[in-house]
Amino acid sequence: TTSYIRYTKSMRNNINRIHNLEKAFVFYMNTMYDWNLNWTGEGMSNWDAEGSTSKGNKCVVEMKFRKTYYETKMIEVFKYDKLMSLDKDIVKLYFVSDPKGSYMFYLNELNDLSKESLSCPKNTMWNGAKTNKDVYLLSEDKAIMKQQFNTKLF
């Protein structure tokens, strides 16, 4: 039971860390770019923020914070399909941050995506269990916003 409690506490800490990063992103976009986003990450929503852009366009944002850098950014087909099933006028964004930078993708205009099946952790709080997931791999050059870090400095 002690190891289960330790595991549960660690998992809760990881979830809290991710929630704090999502909230920080919402705060940043609202403060720096005059967006009006609300964090939705704690409920059963299929995205992490929703609201409007500075131009008043309705939008939703799915976010991923990865501790490992990958040249392509992965979005699950399930998540992508949920976002794309929304009204066509809603701006659909996918934000990924990893050790080398942050990238935002405007999903409304991405097409010609090819589906791949990859062995992935079963859920965000990886416990070693893997499953095959259908995913799209997004090239960094398709990002509408890139903030790359100079990792050679540190």
Side-chain angles (χ1 to χ4, degrees), residues 4 17-18 24-25 28 30 35 49-50 58 61 72 83 86-88 91 100-101 104 109 125 133 136-137 148 154:
Y4 174 76
R17 181 186 63 81
I18 291 168
F25 172 85
Y28 177 77
N30 289 345
W35 286 35
E50 62 186 14
K58 286 185 181 178
V61 184
T72 54
L83 293 167
L86 297 171
D87 186 278
K88 67 178 178 68
V91 174
K100 289 194 177 185
M104 182 140 36
E109 291 190 352
M125 296 302 116
K133 290 185 181 181
Y136 294 123
L137 299 177
Q148 294 180 309
F154 46 90

Side-chain angles (χ1 to χ4, degrees), residues 37-133:
L37 291 176
N38 296 302
W39 178 67
T40 61
E42 202 160 35
M44 295 304 293
S45 179
N46 287 299
W47 44 85
D48 302 306
E50 62 186 14
S52 59
T53 68
S54 61
K55 293 183 179 183
N57 298 316
K58 286 185 181 178
C59 72
V60 294
V61 184
E62 169 63 9
M63 299 177 223
K64 287 294 174 206
F65 297 90
R66 304 205 186 277
K67 288 188 172 188
T68 304
Y69 171 79
Y70 298 97
E71 244 180 77
T72 54
K73 311 310 175 198
M74 179 181 74
I75 184 170
E76 291 180 45
V77 170
F78 171 80
K79 288 274 190 179
Y80 176 86
D81 288 348
K82 284 289 187 184
L83 293 167
M84 298 312 289
S85 71
L86 297 171
D87 186 278
K88 67 178 178 68
D89 293 332
I90 295 175
V91 174
K92 299 150 191 90
L93 299 169
Y94 182 52
F95 176 81
V96 181
S97 188
D98 63 35
K100 289 194 177 185
S102 295
Y103 313 83
M104 182 140 36
F105 297 90
Y106 181 40
L107 298 179
N108 301 57
E109 291 190 352
L110 287 183
N111 44 29
D112 297 329
L113 299 176
S114 57
K115 191 183 325 184
E116 297 192 25
S117 186
L118 297 179
S119 178
C120 300
K122 197 167 188 162
N123 55 38
T124 301
M125 296 302 116
W126 191 62
N127 62 1
K130 287 196 166 195
T131 187
N132 281 344
K133 290 185 181 181

